[in-house]
Amino acid sequence: MKADPAVQRRLLDLAEVDAELARVTHRRRTLPEIAEITEVEQLVRTKQDALVAVETTLTDLDRDVKRQETEIDQVRARGERDRKLLQSGSVGAKQLTDLEHELATIQRRQGILEDDLLELMERREAVEADVSFARVELDKASEKLEDAKGRRDAALADLEAVETRRTTDRSTMAKGFPDDLLKLYDRQREQRGIGAALIQSRRCGACRIELDRSAVAKVKEAAADEVVRCEECGAIMVRTTESGL
């Protein structure tokens, strides 16, 4: 295949655009923010689970406190009823003794229940503090997640802008090449990643392998408009004064 040397040299500009587009694609897939978001999302889930756990404990304690208060109210009501009977003077001696005994038992029971309630209230206070702490921790993790997503979105927007601009540049540049040369270049780029590269210091700029003597001789013998390719990687090798041939 033949192509004007100046046209072949413009392949280097096209290759640079394609390299930048490839870097954009790679960068989009490997943004550090993506891995960070995955990590922080797991952190958020952990904090959510922790909050649910302590909130459940608090709900259970609220239920226990309410049950304990109800039982205390019932015991107090029973004691109040017995005291009124005692004060009424309308009960016989045996019933009086039974009431006094029952009232003493009720008072002991009330004391135990009130002590248990105090313990429950203290536990509830501690768990309530745990709930507040868990909410703060979840808020921190959520803020961290939103920050990472914001940085990811900003980075993606920058990459999108670069890709749009360079894709337009490539479309314009591609119009300046013969169809057969462009097809060869594109096919090679799709297969190996680099379609054309400069021969520099007797090395192929695509695979970075130094040409042996026979390969150098072939390139030297080729006409200026001959399209030469690397025997190792197949890339179009563009010759300039920097090629050292």
Side-chain angles (χ1 to χ4, degrees):
M1 181 184 298
K2 294 185 179 297
D4 184 277
V7 173
Q8 292 189 49
R9 284 193 291 273
R10 290 206 305 273
L11 283 175
L12 298 177
D13 298 328
L14 184 62
E16 178 54 37
V17 171
D18 285 331
E20 186 170 2
L21 288 170
R23 288 193 292 271
V24 167
T25 300
H26 176 73
R27 172 73 173 160
R28 183 183 285 116
R29 290 197 305 265
T30 59
L31 281 174
E33 289 81 4
I34 293 176
E36 182 181 354
I37 287 170
T38 299
E39 180 180 342
V40 178
E41 283 177 338
Q42 178 58 50
L43 176 63
V44 168
R45 286 192 291 270
T46 299
K47 298 300 182 182
Q48 287 173 334
D49 291 344
L51 177 58
V52 169
V54 291
E55 284 181 335
T56 300
T57 300
L58 183 62
T59 299
D60 291 343
L61 283 171
D62 283 340
R63 185 176 59 250
D64 291 343
V65 166
K66 186 176 181 179
R67 184 172 59 246
Q68 196 77 357
E69 288 175 339
T70 298
E71 189 170 356
I72 289 173
D73 288 342
Q74 291 172 345
V75 170
R76 283 175 178 168
R78 182 69 177 271
E80 185 63 25
R81 187 199 66 179
D82 287 353
R83 276 189 291 272
K84 286 181 179 179
L85 281 174
L86 284 173
Q87 293 169 3
S88 69
S90 61
V91 296
K94 183 177 185 309
Q95 188 178 5
L96 179 64
T97 301
D98 290 342
L99 282 173
E100 289 175 343
H101 176 72
E102 182 177 297
L103 188 57
T105 300
I106 287 173
Q107 289 174 339
R108 287 195 299 273
R109 175 62 178 162
Q110 182 177 332
I112 292 171
L113 289 173
E114 288 175 345
D115 287 343
D116 290 345
L117 178 60
L118 180 60
E119 182 181 344
L120 282 173
M121 294 297 289
E122 289 173 347
R123 286 173 56 196
R124 187 192 180 285
E125 184 178 354
V127 172
E128 195 170 29
D130 290 341
V131 169
S132 297
F133 177 78
R135 285 174 179 162
V136 169
E137 289 296 295
L138 177 57
D139 287 343
K140 288 180 181 179
S142 297
E143 289 173 5
K144 188 175 181 181
L145 179 59
E146 289 306 309
D147 175 68
K149 286 181 175 179
R151 286 184 281 109
R152 177 204 59 190
D153 292 344
L156 288 175
D158 290 342
L159 292 172
E160 182 70 24
V162 172
E163 185 176 53
T164 298
R165 185 180 70 253
R166 297 308 270 164
T167 298
T168 300
D169 292 343
R170 189 188 196 283
S171 179
T172 300
M173 294 170 66
K175 296 175 182 177
F177 296 98
D179 288 344
D180 56 351
L181 180 63
L182 185 60
K183 286 179 181 178
L184 174 63
Y185 168 86
D186 283 338
R187 184 169 63 250
Q188 173 63 24
R189 180 176 59 86
E190 291 170 1
Q191 292 175 350
R192 302 297 293 269
I194 300 177
L198 176 68
I199 299 178
Q200 193 169 23
S201 301
R202 300 189 178 189
R203 287 183 181 274
C204 169
C207 63
R208 309 304 302 168
I209 293 178
E210 185 174 356
L211 279 62
D212 59 28
R213 290 182 180 180
S214 62
V216 170
K218 289 179 182 178
V219 174
K220 285 182 176 180
E221 292 170 2
D225 62 352
E226 185 71 29
V227 175
V228 296
R229 302 178 66 186
C230 176
E231 295 178 353
E232 293 293 333
C233 69
I236 298 171
M237 296 193 297
V238 179
R239 293 164 285 170
T240 70
T241 55
E242 301 176 48
S243 299
L245 300 173

